[in-house]
Amino acid sequence: MSQKTEVFLITGFLGSGKTTFLNRVIASFPRDRKLMILMNEFGEVGIDGTLVEGEDLDILEISKGSIFCVCVKTDFIKGMHQIAREIQPDVLLIESTGVANPSDLKRDLKLPFFQDRFHLVEQVCIVDAANFEEAYETFSSVEKQIASSTCFIINKTDLASPGQVGRVKELISRHNPTPRFFEATYADIPLEMFFGSISTSPPGELAAGRGEGGGILSPEELEQAIDELLADPNREVTPPDLLVSAVYRWQGVGLEAFRQLATQLPKAVVRAKGFLGEEKGTYLFSLVMGKWALEERALPPERLDLLNRLVFIAPPDVMPQLEALSERFPLFSKESTWDPMQTTA
């Protein structure tokens, strides 16, 4: 057990391949080291947690907003407090939502009640080579992610031209003076950087704070500390982009009818994801910047509540278009809509 938890933040805009990359790290991670995953999804329903491949993993899922915004900042700090005091992994992988502004993470990790447990080793930004330029021009979160990252994986290069890859690197270099680039398909890069920095301690030399004492905050003290953090005017705790999440249920039978619906989805939908079922099995629907695909993917039995529920992320003015679509397709019905700006007001 190490005295410090090495932290790796995985950022990147919606649909860039963060979960694919996370699974590569998990598959290669040394079995004699303790790994913890913190997954953050913007939508109301957490889909990505079902896509993580690995047995006996410690996973904390936080949905309904960015862990760096006021909407779920409290959940994030409470979760990190528990990780620091009780779980104490060797490595913590944080997969942030694709519309996050991660600028304050370094300050968050240095909060005094974490007692210097966390050490940020790398901030990795996954870039969708084919869609990056459009996202960069449209969403503020993209610029904030590349400005604070240290390593860039130019992903999905098989879907982009060499000219697009070159322009991606040029745009990133405008905001980051010393970028480290990897070009990849399916986020396949050498992973030594995730394993080489882990230091170990002899038994009995664990960091102070585990178990009783050690400066652990009471629930009331932790709430007060979080309130003071959220009141700090120097922290960026509002969403960088105006996006809304909606959950829709599909009640059709078979995939052909859904394909007809999918061809009519508003082009301005930024991201959509969900599991659909038919007699042959379950399929993952994934949409990124107007382009969608269906692939066969198993849904764990304990997560059958997700079946035929789809999460859509889009600007607020697109939501009425989705509702109009549900009028033309009665088997496509809205369950809920969530707006982080109403939460932060």
Side-chain angles (χ1 to χ4, degrees), residues 5-313:
T5 291
E6 310 282 6
V7 179
F8 294 84
L9 174 63
I10 303 172
T11 68
F13 196 66
L14 297 165
S16 59
K18 295 187 295 298
T19 303
T20 298
F21 179 64
L22 181 64
N23 280 328
R24 289 196 177 278
V25 176
I26 293 170
S28 301
F29 197 80
R31 295 296 178 257
D32 60 343
R33 297 289 183 263
K34 188 173 183 179
L35 177 65
M36 174 89 190
I37 311 294
L38 192 158
M39 301 194 71
N40 174 214
E41 291 195 63
F42 182 84
E44 289 183 86
V45 177
I47 303 293
D48 285 348
T50 64
L51 305 176
V52 173
E53 301 168 358
E55 297 180 358
D56 301 323
L57 285 173
D58 284 318
I59 300 179
L60 173 62
E61 295 183 68
I62 300 177
S63 57
K64 293 186 70 173
S66 166
I67 54 177
F68 306 117
C69 294
V70 66
C71 43
V72 289
K73 187 82 161 185
T74 296
D75 294 338
F76 174 58
I77 298 301
K78 287 182 178 179
M80 292 295 286
H81 185 255
Q82 180 184 15
I83 292 169
R85 297 295 171 248
E86 300 176 17
I87 303 173
Q88 297 191 340
D90 295 304
V91 172
L92 171 64
L93 300 181
I94 301 176
E95 181 190 329
S96 68
T97 173
V99 290
N101 172 11
S103 305
D104 279 337
L105 178 64
K106 290 181 181 179
R107 285 200 290 172
D108 289 343
L109 296 180
K110 294 300 182 183
L111 290 170
F113 47 82
F114 293 150
Q115 293 192 316
D116 203 29
R117 175 77 207 183
F118 300 114
H119 170 57
L120 181 62
V121 178
E122 193 88 69
Q123 181 173 322
V124 180
C125 185
I126 316 291
V127 174
D128 178 349
N131 292 306
F132 176 79
E133 291 176 273
E134 181 181 355
Y136 173 84
E137 294 294 337
T138 308
F139 299 101
S140 301
S141 54
V142 176
E143 181 178 325
K144 294 180 182 298
Q145 289 170 13
I146 62 179
S148 57
S149 295
T150 50
C151 173
F152 298 87
I153 300 175
I154 313 300
N155 198 30
K156 305 184 183 181
T157 54
D158 55 324
L159 304 178
S161 67
Q164 284 178 297
V165 173
R167 289 194 297 274
V168 167
K169 291 182 177 180
E170 193 276 329
L171 287 172
I172 290 173
S173 298
R174 291 182 190 177
H175 304 280
N176 195 303
T178 56
R180 295 165 53 224
F181 291 119
F182 294 89
E183 296 182 23
T185 58
Y186 299 100
D188 188 5
I189 70 164
L191 296 173
E192 290 82 0
M193 71 173 112
F194 287 86
F195 314 134
S197 63
I198 304 170
S199 59
T200 58
S201 303
E205 293 186 12
L206 302 184
R210 186 164 185 168
E212 297 297 326
I216 297 178
L217 298 183
S218 67
E220 294 76 17
E221 290 171 330
L222 184 58
E223 291 284 357
Q224 181 179 352
I226 293 172
D227 288 343
E228 292 173 357
L229 184 152
L230 295 178
D232 184 350
N234 296 316
R235 289 182 176 270
E236 299 188 45
V237 292
T238 55
D241 296 294
L242 294 177
L243 291 170
V244 175
S245 167
V247 179
Y248 278 75
R249 182 172 290 277
W250 173 250
Q251 297 174 298
V253 177
L255 296 181
E256 188 54 39
F258 181 80
R259 288 189 178 96
Q260 296 176 20
L261 164 69
T263 61
Q264 299 185 47
L265 288 170
K267 300 300 181 184
V269 171
V270 180
R271 186 75 168 113
K273 186 180 287 188
F275 285 91
L276 299 170
E278 66 166 10
E279 291 183 2
K280 297 179 181 178
T282 55
Y283 293 78
L284 177 66
F285 172 71
S286 179
L287 178 149
V288 180
M289 304 290 282
K291 303 167 187 173
W292 61 270
L294 276 164
E295 64 171 305
E296 190 169 3
R297 184 72 72 93
L299 179 63
E302 66 272 15
R303 298 305 304 271
L304 288 178
D305 61 303
L306 297 178
L307 190 61
N308 295 324
R309 299 174 73 200
L310 303 161
V311 179
F312 293 86
I313 299 174

